[in-house]
Amino acid sequence: MPIDKLYGGTLALTAKALDLRAEKQGLIQTNIANMETPGYKTQDFSFEKVMASLMTGKGHLDKTHKKHMELDPMALERSLSVRSEDRPVDLDEEMLKLSESQLMYQIGTQIIAKKFDALRYVIDEGGK
């Protein structure tokens, strides 16, 4: 039995959310690293919009020929959603976004850990 059937898809969804959080953190770190680069503009994407489109299946490309390459829907959605703002990088704002993103990532990992703790409990106690 696939492990995701046990959790009704929440495990896969949480894993996608963690991937997106990691991508967002990378983007924020890029903004901070380039804040003194002349002409660099702040880049960002809306985590909520990307997750919503992944949950509804938007951002999916139909494969009409067997030789067409498979595209990662998350990568496609991110590439369509990253936007540059016509303003310089604000360090305070970026640090706030980074803290929020790290906190949300930690919460996601805790959710997955709790699910596996529950599974471990069932396996351990089921044999008694």
Side-chain angles (χ1 to χ4, degrees):
M1 172 185 288
I3 190 91
D4 206 38
K5 279 190 171 184
L6 290 173
Y7 299 112
T10 56
L11 195 60
L13 190 61
T14 307
K16 286 180 182 178
L18 288 177
D19 289 343
L20 278 178
R21 288 283 174 204
E23 287 287 329
K24 187 161 178 103
Q25 286 182 15
L27 202 56
I28 294 168
Q29 291 167 346
T30 300
N31 286 339
I32 293 171
N34 289 298
M35 68 182 283
E36 294 187 12
T37 302
Y40 183 80
K41 296 174 181 148
T42 303
Q43 296 183 1
D44 198 5
F45 70 87
S46 170
F47 175 84
E48 291 77 14
K49 286 183 181 175
V50 175
M51 273 308 289
S53 66
L54 285 174
M55 291 171 67
T56 59
K58 291 181 181 174
H60 176 73
L61 294 178
D62 290 333
K63 188 175 172 182
T64 57
H65 191 275
K66 64 182 179 182
K67 290 188 177 181
H68 286 169
M69 294 173 36
E70 292 289 335
L71 291 176
D72 178 13
M74 288 180 60
L76 175 66
E77 192 60 37
R78 280 190 305 269
S79 69
L80 295 174
S81 300
V82 173
R83 65 181 191 284
S84 294
E85 297 177 9
D86 195 20
R87 61 180 177 86
V89 177
D90 180 350
L91 182 59
D92 291 336
E93 183 180 326
E94 295 301 315
M95 294 303 289
L96 184 65
K97 286 181 193 175
L98 187 62
S99 296
E100 177 192 3
S101 188
Q102 287 173 338
L103 181 64
M104 296 306 287
Y105 189 89
Q106 286 177 338
I107 291 170
T109 58
Q110 288 174 357
I111 289 171
I112 289 177
K114 289 290 181 190
K115 290 191 178 292
F116 282 110
D117 284 347
L119 181 61
R120 185 180 311 127
Y121 177 78
V122 168
I123 291 170
D124 289 346
E125 296 300 316
K128 292 182 181 178

